[in-house]
Amino acid sequence: MFGVVDLPTYLVGLVLIVLLPGPNSLYVLSVAARRGVRAGYTASAGVWCGDAVLMTLSAAGVASLLQANPVLFAVVKYAGAGYLTWLAVGMLRAAWGMWRTRASGSAGNEAPAPAGERPFRRAFVVSLFNPKAILFFVAFFVQFVDPGYAYPALSFVVLGSLAQLASVLYLSALIFGGTRLAAAFRRRRRLSAGATSAAGALFLGFAVKLSLASS
């Protein structure tokens, strides 16, 4: 159908891929827990747009270019790792402020959002600066495109649309789960500070993992 082969296998693999934790889903969950459903969907839109760009670049063969050019791959890789590190530092600083506020017994239950935070832009950049994702998309998608089909672009659109649908369902679940966490965070300052610290540490881990990635 539309040049797509072995669709059931693709769907199984897609579900497993979407459910794997990563910086995109973690950031959406963090935004939803801190700022609510609307901000969570704003961040999700950034993820979906970033993924769409990666899929388009993969279909255009940019992934193969990165794989064949170690210097270009390294530039993209370290740019992405640097951005994830910057986000991690911001989260850890926010967590430190929460711990200090709790220790001093200051009034107020909600931690303010990071200054100048733009969920859409941040999520978009987190999604976009991921060379391993580009390589993965092209390696994964190509397996399910019939090489003899006359309109391969249509095959990529079908596969990409299914991937985006899975992402919408998954991130929606995270967003509404995040708003439930927000209520608990407002009641328990230690929980909020601990969760923010853990998120910052995980983003540092993502940055290290990306910086060690090879083409």
Side-chain angles (χ1 to χ4, degrees), residues 2-215:
F2 302 114
V4 176
V5 298
D6 203 3
L7 182 59
T9 301
Y10 172 75
L11 293 177
V12 171
L14 179 61
V15 170
L16 295 176
I17 292 161
V18 168
L19 292 179
L20 286 174
N24 295 348
S25 56
L26 180 61
Y27 182 68
V28 170
L29 178 60
S30 172
V31 170
R34 289 184 287 107
R35 302 179 58 181
V37 171
R38 182 174 181 179
Y41 273 109
T42 300
S44 295
V47 172
W48 299 326
C49 289
D51 286 349
V53 171
L54 290 181
M55 293 174 193
T56 302
L57 293 176
S58 297
V62 174
S64 299
L65 176 62
L66 285 176
Q67 195 169 23
N69 191 324
V71 174
L72 181 59
F73 181 87
V75 169
V76 176
K77 177 177 70 173
Y78 289 118
Y83 188 74
L84 290 178
T85 300
W86 180 72
L87 288 180
V89 170
M91 290 180 177
L92 291 174
R93 288 180 61 188
W96 175 246
M98 293 177 194
W99 286 115
R100 291 185 61 185
T101 300
R102 178 179 179 276
S104 64
S106 299
N109 291 325
E110 293 188 31
E117 181 181 25
R118 294 179 174 84
F120 177 89
R121 186 177 68 181
R122 286 197 176 187
F124 179 78
V125 176
V126 167
S127 298
L128 198 58
F129 278 101
N130 193 343
K132 294 298 289 186
I134 298 175
L135 298 178
F136 172 80
F137 274 131
V138 74
F140 188 64
F141 280 10
V142 167
Q143 298 178 46
F144 302 96
V145 175
D146 182 358
Y149 188 63
Y151 307 101
L154 179 59
S155 304
F156 278 96
V157 169
V158 171
L159 294 173
S161 297
L162 291 173
Q164 292 285 47
L165 176 60
S167 179
V168 168
L169 295 175
Y170 178 58
L171 292 182
S172 293
L174 290 182
I175 287 169
F176 288 101
T179 55
R180 283 178 169 269
L181 289 175
F185 289 166
R186 284 192 292 268
R187 291 193 301 266
R188 300 182 62 183
R189 192 178 298 277
R190 177 183 294 181
L191 178 62
S192 180
T196 305
S197 300
L202 283 173
F203 264 76
L204 279 179
F206 290 134
V208 171
K209 182 178 180 181
L210 179 57
S211 67
L212 296 176
S214 61
S215 61

